Amino acid sequence: MKINKVLVIGGGLAGCESAYQLAKRGVEVDLIDIKPRAFTPAHKNPNFAELVCSNSLKAKGLDTASGLLKAELELLDSLIIKTAYKHSVDAGGALAVDRDKFSEEVTQTIRSIKNINIITQEYKAINTDVPTIVATGPLTTDALAQSLKNLLSQEYLYFFDAASPIVTADSIDYDRAFWGSRYQKGGDDYLNCPMTKEEYELFYNELINAKTVELKSFEGREVFEGCMPIEIMAKRGIDTLRFGPLKPVGLKDSRGARPYAVVQLRAENREKTLFNLVGFQTNLTFPEQKRVFSLIPALKNAQFVRYGVMHRNTFINAPQCVNEFYQLKKYPNIFIAGQLSGVEGYVESVCSGLIAGIFMYKYLRGENLISVPKETMTGALINYITAPNPDFQPMNANFGILPPLKERIKDKKARYVQYSERALSAMREFCQYCNA
């Protein structure tokens, strides 16, 4: 296929990274964004790559999932990550940046590249005949979202993120839990976390009095229509949860007795290294989620890899729509990047934009597309969002989505460093393909 031109829609982290990766490989890019002619309700800065919610790109150490992901992106020559390090500010073990200087430099770099054409306007309809990377983020404009709906069918595009918390399997107290499904229907599909009357009442009282996140004006109350937060449900009465997501009916513990209340955990992946709290969509603040949900006896020492969220977050049902190269299955000319693709977080969005840019380049050249190794955090994220999952929700980087190590390492920090060493070795090999 002859290399000609690629349209990148969106000048955020993912869009800028995609444009950079394509342009450095000699592809002409039309980068289109509504700023500074217009702004979404969340954006204020006229520059590209605006950091809206926080100036932190999370931890830097290789004993953290975010640190590993950034290290992989450095190997892949990420514009966003190298600019972030250039404008970092003191933040302990985290990579935090001067937001204004960071965005200014990314914008200057993008504008200085001769084969990137900047177009300032709203893009409203996707043309499947034009090679395109869509990276418009969680506040995709209504017209473009409608175009995506038409392309994918409405059931594969979501406008609000109502996700339950996820914990690591190895942090659960299995002595305080038991396997089984209600009325023995199916196999041992759920890990059940029972509570006594006293434990439940303590949990209930803390839940209904916990601090919640204040919704932004553009999010509205619609977020509650599809899936009620557990704290709102609880306020209807002390036994409401016991007749809802925490109902003990049809369940018996190891002694054959029915618990007073039961929190069910469902495996988040095939390897059962991660579990989500069923029915625990919530608008509690992250610290409050940690505090209150740790009152569940089996989760006393639980490690949360994702907290529950309820906010506007336009994203596609990735397992149904995209392949492991970020291409739409029905329209290989169209790639989806950023939070729209089903990843969650700044660095994760950068990662998807970078990989989409590389694979678009390979696709235009007619080369065989080679999957990113699953042992890398980059590949594990792709595997997570593309693997069959009827209850798909966006995911951020965490060690729970990586394939298990061959040898079990008890010390958590040492185990994470081993994951990182394996991942970086695999990424170095993949870089040879990217740079060819």
Side-chain angles (χ1 to χ4, degrees):
M1 186 181 295
K2 184 180 178 180
I3 297 177
N4 40 33
K5 181 185 289 188
V6 172
L7 174 64
V8 176
I9 310 173
L13 297 173
C16 287
E17 192 66 67
S18 290
Y20 174 76
Q21 295 297 327
L22 286 162
K24 65 177 277 191
R25 290 170 169 81
V27 179
E28 186 175 357
V29 178
D30 282 345
L31 177 61
I32 188 167
D33 194 273
I34 63 172
K35 294 198 304 181
R37 180 177 297 178
F39 292 84
T40 73
H43 292 93
K44 307 297 181 186
N45 192 319
N47 290 312
F48 296 140
E50 180 180 356
L51 300 178
V52 176
C53 300
S54 169
N55 73 330
S56 175
L57 277 67
K58 297 185 178 179
K60 296 183 288 188
L62 288 180
D63 59 338
T64 67
S66 185
L68 169 58
L69 186 58
K70 284 192 281 291
E72 292 178 6
L73 292 175
E74 285 187 277
L75 290 175
L76 291 164
D77 185 36
S78 164
L79 167 67
I80 298 298
I81 298 303
K82 64 186 177 185
T83 306
Y85 274 109
K86 184 175 180 179
H87 295 289
S88 63
V89 297
D90 292 338
L95 173 57
V97 303
D98 180 314
R99 290 197 227 198
D100 291 338
K101 291 180 179 179
F102 165 78
S103 294
E104 285 173 9
E105 174 144 344
V106 171
T107 303
Q108 290 171 4
T109 300
I110 292 295
R111 289 187 177 279
S112 70
I113 299 175
K114 293 182 179 179
N115 51 330
I116 297 180
N117 310 305
I118 308 298
I119 303 172
T120 303
Q121 68 181 55
E122 180 182 354
Y123 193 84
K124 297 182 177 181
I126 295 170
N127 183 348
T128 55
D129 293 328
V130 176
T132 302
I133 297 176
V134 185
T136 47
L139 294 179
T140 297
T141 60
D142 293 342
L144 186 56
Q146 185 60 52
S147 177
L148 270 173
K149 270 189 182 183
N150 297 339
L151 211 61
L152 304 174
S153 85
Q154 184 170 353
E155 63 180 305
Y156 296 147
L157 184 67
Y158 301 94
F159 291 96
F160 291 100
D161 198 348
S164 298
I166 294 177
V167 300
T168 60
D170 58 10
S171 67
I172 299 168
D173 184 352
Y174 291 90
D175 291 335
R176 302 297 303 271
F178 62 94
W179 293 96
S181 299
R182 284 195 172 87
Y183 303 107
Q184 290 76 51
K185 292 183 179 180
D188 291 341
D189 296 334
Y190 293 88
L191 184 59
N192 301 285
C193 306
M195 287 191 278
T196 65
K197 184 174 186 292
E198 293 75 17
E199 290 165 343
Y200 172 79
E201 289 179 350
L202 173 62
F203 167 78
Y204 171 81
N205 286 318
E206 294 300 318
L207 176 64
I208 62 173
N209 291 298
K211 295 179 182 178
T212 58
V213 176
E214 183 178 350
L215 293 177
K216 297 178 176 62
S217 60
F218 57 85
E219 291 175 320
R221 302 287 304 174
E222 302 152 322
V223 69
F224 298 140
E225 293 176 4
C227 198
M228 182 178 293
I230 192 168
E231 65 273 11
I232 299 295
M233 187 186 302
K235 290 178 181 179
R236 293 182 171 182
I238 192 168
D239 287 323
T240 303
L241 298 182
R242 294 182 59 247
F243 287 91
L246 274 67
K247 64 183 178 184
V249 177
L251 292 168
K252 293 182 179 180
D253 62 22
S254 57
R255 300 169 298 170
R258 190 174 84 178
Y260 187 76
V262 172
V263 176
Q264 289 196 303
L265 308 184
R266 181 171 54 221
E268 187 69 20
N269 54 12
R270 292 177 181 174
E271 297 79 12
K272 292 187 176 180
T273 58
L274 299 171
F275 285 85
N276 70 68
L277 282 64
V278 178
F280 270 60
Q281 292 83 6
T282 181
N283 206 41
L284 298 186
T285 66
F286 289 178
E288 288 289 76
Q289 289 184 49
K290 171 67 174 175
R291 182 182 69 83
V292 176
F293 299 157
S294 294
L295 294 173
I296 301 165
L299 303 182
K300 181 180 180 181
N301 299 309
Q303 179 185 355
F304 291 81
V305 299
R306 185 188 74 190
Y307 288 105
V309 290
M310 300 195 77
H311 58 76
R312 176 161 180 177
N313 183 15
T314 308
F315 65 96
I316 62 172
N317 187 334
Q320 295 286 344
C321 302
V322 298
N323 61 20
E324 66 270 33
F325 311 115
Y326 288 106
Q327 287 174 297
L328 288 183
K329 293 177 180 179
K330 291 184 178 180
Y331 304 98
N333 239 16
I334 310 299
F335 290 64
I336 308 293
Q339 288 189 208
L340 196 60
S341 71
V343 298
E344 180 77 31
Y346 285 156
V347 182
E348 292 83 349
S349 294
V350 172
C351 179
S352 67
L354 186 152
I355 296 299
I358 290 173
F359 280 134
M360 173 64 89
Y361 170 75
K362 297 288 187 180
Y363 169 74
L364 291 175
R365 287 171 59 90
E367 296 184 20
N368 290 330
L369 303 186
I370 299 175
S371 301
V372 185
K374 294 178 183 178
E375 292 78 15
T376 66
M377 189 60 70
T378 301
L381 278 168
I382 295 172
N383 181 60
Y384 181 87
I385 69 169
T386 56
N389 185 348
D391 300 310
F392 175 73
Q393 289 288 342
M395 177 57 73
N396 55 6
N398 66 85
F399 286 112
I401 61 176
L402 290 171
L405 298 168
K406 292 182 179 179
E407 296 182 7
R408 180 172 175 78
I409 301 174
K410 290 185 178 181
D411 181 78
K412 184 172 68 174
K413 186 171 183 178
R415 183 168 70 250
Y416 289 169
V417 169
Q418 188 63 42
Y419 272 127
S420 293
E421 290 177 354
R422 182 185 68 175
L424 292 175
S425 176
M427 182 55 77
R428 290 186 186 97
E429 291 187 21
F430 183 71
C431 285
Q432 297 177 21
Y433 163 76
C434 296
N435 298 328

